[in-house]
Amino acid sequence: MAKWLAGTTLFALLYLSACSGQRVKSQSEPFDFVLRYGVNAVNSLDTFRDTLAVAITRDSLVQIPFSLSPADMAKIQQELEKIDIWAY
């Protein structure tokens, strides 16, 4: 589950960042994002609010406190800069 979430997060982050037009200048500057995924994009990872929301069934959405570690956030930012995602 963790690998799937990490993979989905990175893919969506790459996609969303490419579309946003916002550019992160350096790794020393913090950044946050909201990743929405799944059917109708009801599942979400929000690093602004440190929450994870997952639709367990069609009628129930569970939201829990969740945050990526500083090391995970730095790695995501590093990979985005490595492929120069904001140049697209």
Side-chain angles (χ1 to χ4, degrees), residues 12-33:
L13 178 60
L14 293 173
Y15 177 77
L16 294 173
S17 296
C19 296
S20 72
Q22 296 178 350
R23 186 179 185 102
V24 176
K25 295 180 182 175
S26 73
Q27 290 182 5
S28 63
E29 293 182 24
F31 77 106
D32 289 292
F33 59 92

Side-chain angles (χ1 to χ4, degrees), residues 7 13 30 34 40 43 52-53 57 73 83 85:
L13 178 60
V34 176
N40 296 325
N43 302 316
L52 176 66
T57 66
M73 291 294 285
I83 63 172
I85 192 71

Side-chain angles (χ1 to χ4, degrees), residues 5-80:
L5 180 59
T8 303
T9 300
L10 183 57
F11 173 77
L13 178 60
L14 293 173
Y15 177 77
L16 294 173
S17 296
C19 296
S20 72
Q22 296 178 350
R23 186 179 185 102
V24 176
K25 295 180 182 175
S26 73
Q27 290 182 5
S28 63
E29 293 182 24
F31 77 106
D32 289 292
F33 59 92
V34 176
L35 166 66
R36 297 192 185 280
Y37 61 96
V39 177
N40 296 325
V42 294
N43 302 316
S44 67
L45 170 62
D46 185 341
T47 63
F48 289 98
R49 296 183 179 153
D50 290 332
T51 60
L52 176 66
V54 179
I56 303 300
T57 66
R58 193 177 349 175
D59 299 324
S60 68
L61 181 68
V62 176
Q63 184 170 324
I64 62 170
F66 182 86
S67 62
L68 295 171
S69 70
D72 289 339
M73 291 294 285
K75 181 67 174 173
I76 292 169
Q77 189 172 8
Q78 179 184 23
E79 291 299 317
L80 292 173

